[in-house]
């Protein structure tokens, strides 16, 4: 028996003002398919992601923790698939490093 690899598929995304919604399908190693709804919330000038929520789309309410193993895999996948999310996260990282450098030199 050959082991199956879990794969993600970005079904759609929609930019709506200060948030972006994604629908991702997971084809897991057992052959099951599960859809997830991910929402990124942005600050007023849409330069930083201030919060992210992940929900399993099923007949039950099931939130996925962003820092869980599954949450990290989902967020990593949509970051690699969606150019704007990747650009925003990169800009946030650069700003954080600049702020740390500035605070170091101010001492």
């Amino acid at each position: 028996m050959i082991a199956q690899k879990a794969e993600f598929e970005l079904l759609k995304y929609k930019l709506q003002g200060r948030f972006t919604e994604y629908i991702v399908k997971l084809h897991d190693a057992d052959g099951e398919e599960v859809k997830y709804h991910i929402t990124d919330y942005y600050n007023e000038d849409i330069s930083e992601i201030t919060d992210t929520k992940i929900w399993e789309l099923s007949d039950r309410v099931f939130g996925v923790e962003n820092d869980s193993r599954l949450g990290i895999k989902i967020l990593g996948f949509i970051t690699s698939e969606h150019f704007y999310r990747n650009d925003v996260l990169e800009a946030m990282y650069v700003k954080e490093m600049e702020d740390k450098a500035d605070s170091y030199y101010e001492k």
Side-chain angles (χ1 to χ4, degrees):
M1 182 177 194
I2 299 173
Q4 296 288 325
K5 182 178 175 183
E7 294 183 2
F8 289 102
E9 178 183 356
L10 180 60
L11 299 177
K12 68 178 182 177
Y13 68 90
K14 185 192 292 188
L15 301 163
Q16 300 185 80
R18 289 180 37 198
F19 61 94
T20 303
E21 295 179 301
Y22 308 89
I23 303 294
V24 172
K25 184 190 294 185
L26 168 63
H27 305 272
D28 75 10
D30 297 325
E32 293 185 38
E33 294 183 351
V34 181
K35 290 182 184 175
Y36 295 92
H37 178 267
I38 301 97
T39 304
D40 283 334
Y41 299 90
Y42 293 86
N43 62 355
E44 284 190 32
D45 62 357
I46 312 173
S47 63
E48 293 183 11
I49 297 172
T50 59
D51 196 13
T52 300
K53 301 287 185 195
I54 306 171
W55 297 96
E56 180 180 319
L57 296 176
S58 66
D59 57 352
R60 61 192 170 145
V61 176
F62 180 67
V64 176
E65 296 293 325
N66 295 352
D67 59 353
S68 69
R69 188 171 168 197
L70 177 60
I72 290 168
K73 287 184 180 281
I74 290 171
L75 295 176
F77 171 75
I78 62 172
T79 299
S80 69
E81 290 292 310
H82 191 253
F83 68 93
Y84 186 71
R85 185 176 207 279
N86 187 43
D87 290 350
V88 168
L89 290 175
E90 187 174 318
M92 289 170 60
Y93 176 77
V94 169
K95 182 179 182 307
E96 180 182 340
M97 292 298 107
E98 288 173 347
D99 291 347
K100 284 182 180 180
D102 289 346
S103 68
Y104 175 78
Y105 289 115
E106 289 174 1
K107 290 182 181 181

